[in-house]
Amino acid sequence: MRIEHDLIGDKEIPKEAYYGIQTARAKENFDASGVSLSSFSTFIISLAKVKKATALANFELNELEENKKKAICQACDEIIDGKLHDEFIVDMIQGGAGTSTNMNANEVIANRALEILGHKKGEYKYLHPNNDVNLSQSTNDVYPTAIKITLYEKIFELVDSMKILENSMAKKAIEFKDVIKMGRTQLQDAVPMTLGQEFNTYAIMIEEDIQRLIESQQLVREMNLGATAIGTGINSHPKYIKTVEKKLQEVTNRPFVTARDLVEATQDTGSFVQISGVLKRVSAKISKICNDLRLLSSGPRTGFNEINLPAMQPGSSIMPGKVNPVIPEMVNQVAYQVIGTDVTITIASEGGQLQLNVFEPIIAYNLFNSINMMKKAFESLAYKCVDGITANEQRCEELVLNSIGLVTALNPFIGYENSTMIAKEALSGNKSVYELVLEKNLLSKEHLDEIILPKNMIRAREY
């Protein structure tokens, strides 16, 4: 063990640990979720990028010695490459507005930098977590900046997953373009359409939400790095804000910019609420698609049975032969979780007071977790469900020909009154609309067959 000291007093730290005393105290104090920072590697990498950018800026402004700058940057580069992530042991949900996360990063980077300089871990007189690694910074600008960098990257990941799902739907739209089926409104027969049109709609819905995600990504380009405690820039060089903006752009290779007003940017969490809202929108729409897939595949004998979902596993411990739509069901539940966490994020944003929102840890945890779940769920939906869907073409056609809704396609030719009469009689008896129209000599068989050709029922009528 080694002994470290802070405001509270002395504490033993495992000799080989790269984290220090403040991290150790936070580990003891916070264990609400059981999910540590190490569960979100992109977030750890983002923290390291912030620390590297600040070290480069401080060196350029003659605030940090060259040997310390090199050691800090090397330590950060190692973390960016995936090393030392298991040293980030603090729970994601923590008091202190993210101070424990910032200090976890400061201590790990400081102790690795000390090794690089030829010193022992904990010999902070040579390079200090606060004085050197945290130079010109506060948790209040480092922490939200790292969250935004993480979200910027993770939105790319989620967009890629959604493109996979969109592509799967688009392929099915082409495959099913000639499969005639009955469209429904309010779960009642409406008018004919193709199964291809149905799946093309899903592809377009997803494509539109990809655009909404890309738009929301622009909201997290604006950083408050350089704000330090509340946005006034106290304890930093007069040129630090502009310098660290340039260095952050270089380190991340992303177009991050400094906020127009750092006091406002330090307390405002509106961008997180907006992104959460977009995630909720995406989840609601894809959950609706999953509802449709479950309904369209229901049966197989007593439901719609228009499509078949791939059989993934036995569906019952008591009913032999039963297969359930387990992948859409899983995606539904992910959507419900994301929609629920949007409430948490909204309340956490509203709960901020004066110059700082102390509830950013729960905001970060839920945003990162939501995106991770959505990414995995959407790829599973594409690969394990949509790609394997097949159409029951004969069943789809039978439902169209036996549907009362078919009379809507005949309305322009036999009139509303006759159409109503045919519909009512078809409902009360065992005859189809097709049979009744011929029986009552309302149309010739040739004309009727022409009208109900699939190509004539799924688009506007030509004159």
Side-chain angles (χ1 to χ4, degrees):
M1 306 295 282
R2 67 177 189 263
I3 304 297
E4 291 196 14
H5 179 83
D6 64 5
L7 171 69
I8 308 299
D10 293 340
K11 186 172 182 61
E12 288 187 334
I13 305 297
K15 187 176 180 180
E16 297 304 313
Y18 285 90
Y19 61 80
I21 186 169
Q22 292 201 42
T23 301
R25 292 197 191 282
K27 174 66 175 174
E28 294 174 352
N29 291 334
F30 310 125
D31 192 25
S33 71
V35 178
S36 67
L37 300 174
S38 60
S39 299
F40 298 98
S41 60
T42 307
F43 187 37
I44 295 173
I45 290 168
S46 298
L47 285 163
K49 288 179 178 179
V50 172
K51 295 299 177 179
K52 181 178 181 180
T54 58
L56 292 170
N58 283 318
F59 171 70
E60 185 169 309
L61 297 170
N62 298 315
E63 297 286 298
L64 185 68
E65 297 94 325
E66 184 173 12
N67 66 328
K68 290 183 177 181
K69 181 266 295 185
K70 287 183 177 179
I72 290 171
C73 287
Q74 182 179 331
C76 290
D77 285 338
E78 291 177 3
I79 294 170
I80 292 168
D81 288 339
K83 298 176 181 177
L84 301 176
H85 286 206
D86 58 347
E87 295 289 325
F88 288 77
I89 62 172
V90 179
D91 198 277
M92 282 293 295
I93 301 177
Q94 56 195 253
T99 297
S100 297
T101 294
N102 186 35
M103 286 309 303
N104 198 161
N106 288 334
E107 290 174 345
V108 171
I109 293 168
N111 281 310
R112 177 60 189 129
L114 283 169
E115 281 188 332
I116 293 166
L117 292 172
H119 303 293
K120 296 178 181 177
K121 300 183 187 74
E123 292 187 326
Y124 296 138
K125 64 182 179 180
Y126 300 109
L127 190 148
H128 198 276
N130 297 79
N131 297 338
D132 298 309
V133 182
N134 201 59
L135 181 61
S136 306
Q137 303 153 60
S138 164
T139 294
N140 303 347
D141 62 345
V142 167
Y143 190 70
T145 297
I147 293 173
K148 288 183 175 181
I149 293 171
T150 304
L151 288 173
Y152 193 88
E153 299 301 331
K154 295 195 80 62
I155 287 173
F156 278 124
E157 295 176 12
L158 182 55
V159 164
D160 288 343
S161 296
M162 292 180 66
K163 285 181 178 178
I164 291 170
L165 183 56
E166 177 199 2
N167 186 56
S168 294
M169 294 293 185
K171 286 180 178 178
K172 289 299 167 181
I174 295 171
E175 181 181 341
F176 300 149
K177 64 182 177 66
D178 296 323
V179 179
I180 192 74
K181 60 156 288 176
M182 204 64 199
R184 300 174 180 87
T185 57
Q186 293 153 290
L187 291 180
Q188 305 299 304
D189 297 351
V191 296
M193 64 184 301
T194 67
L195 193 59
Q197 287 175 316
E198 198 154 35
F199 276 81
N200 187 60
T201 296
Y202 300 149
I204 293 172
M205 288 167 64
I206 296 167
E207 191 276 332
E208 287 181 344
D209 276 359
I210 288 172
Q211 296 306 313
R212 302 295 81 75
L213 270 174
I214 292 171
E215 290 166 6
S216 74
Q217 192 179 38
Q218 301 309 304
L219 296 172
V220 291
R221 288 181 53 235
E222 189 176 275
M223 304 294 179
N224 76 324
L225 194 60
T228 65
I230 65 169
T232 61
I234 190 172
N235 291 355
S236 65
H237 190 283
K239 295 182 180 179
Y240 175 75
I241 292 173
K242 280 296 180 184
T243 305
V244 80
E245 176 188 45
K246 180 180 67 175
K247 297 303 179 184
L248 188 65
Q249 292 170 352
E250 292 173 1
V251 170
T252 62
N253 196 31
R254 298 298 189 193
F256 296 124
V257 296
T258 303
R260 180 165 55 98
D261 186 294
L262 293 181
V263 176
E264 179 274 333
T266 301
Q267 63 186 271
D268 183 18
T269 55
S271 61
F272 301 144
V273 176
Q274 184 84 358
I275 289 174
S276 179
V278 175
L279 297 181
K280 178 176 72 172
R281 167 186 165 135
V282 172
S283 296
K285 290 173 66 176
I286 291 187
S287 185
K288 185 270 181 192
I289 292 171
C290 287
N291 294 340
D292 285 358
L293 295 179
R294 291 191 295 116
L295 192 58
L296 293 172
S297 64
S298 61
R301 298 292 174 86
T302 59
F304 284 17
N305 193 31
E306 293 184 347
I307 62 173
N308 306 301
L309 306 187
M312 302 306 297
Q313 61 187 57
S316 175
S317 61
I318 189 174
M319 293 172 279
K322 191 170 187 286
V323 177
N324 296 327
V326 292
I327 301 300
E329 288 173 352
M330 178 269 293
V331 178
N332 281 134
Q333 291 172 81
V334 168
Y336 304 156
Q337 179 68 22
V338 174
I339 292 166
T341 57
D342 177 65
V343 177
T344 300
I345 292 166
T346 302
I347 294 171
S349 178
E350 183 275 337
Q353 296 169 319
L354 304 177
Q355 279 68 59
L356 182 67
N357 189 311
V358 302
F359 303 123
E360 286 184 351
I362 193 68
I363 291 174
Y365 172 69
N366 279 297
L367 285 173
F368 299 164
N369 200 45
S370 289
I371 292 174
N372 284 350
M373 285 194 300
M374 292 168 73
K375 179 180 182 297
K376 293 175 183 177
F378 296 167
E379 290 181 15
S380 291
L381 182 60
Y383 294 137
K384 297 180 181 179
C385 182
V386 178
D387 286 350
I389 291 176
T390 57
N392 293 323
E393 296 188 34
Q394 185 176 351
R395 166 70 171 171
C396 289
E397 185 177 1
E398 286 174 356
L399 289 175
V400 171
L401 294 178
N402 290 322
S403 170
I404 305 303
L406 183 63
V407 78
T408 303
L410 305 179
N411 188 39
F413 303 96
I414 64 175
Y416 187 84
E417 294 297 331
N418 282 331
S419 296
T420 302
M421 177 265 293
I422 292 291
K424 185 176 180 180
E425 194 167 330
L427 276 171
S428 61
N430 290 321
K431 292 185 177 179
S432 68
V433 169
Y434 184 92
E435 291 173 314
L436 288 169
V437 169
L438 294 179
E439 183 181 292
K440 297 180 181 301
N441 295 316
L442 294 173
L443 291 169
S444 68
K445 186 176 185 304
E446 293 76 13
H447 193 189
L448 177 57
D449 289 341
E450 176 70 19
I451 293 169
I452 65 171
L453 284 173
K455 68 177 183 178
N456 292 331
M457 290 196 294
I458 61 172
R459 60 177 60 90
R461 187 157 52 92
E462 295 181 2
Y463 290 89

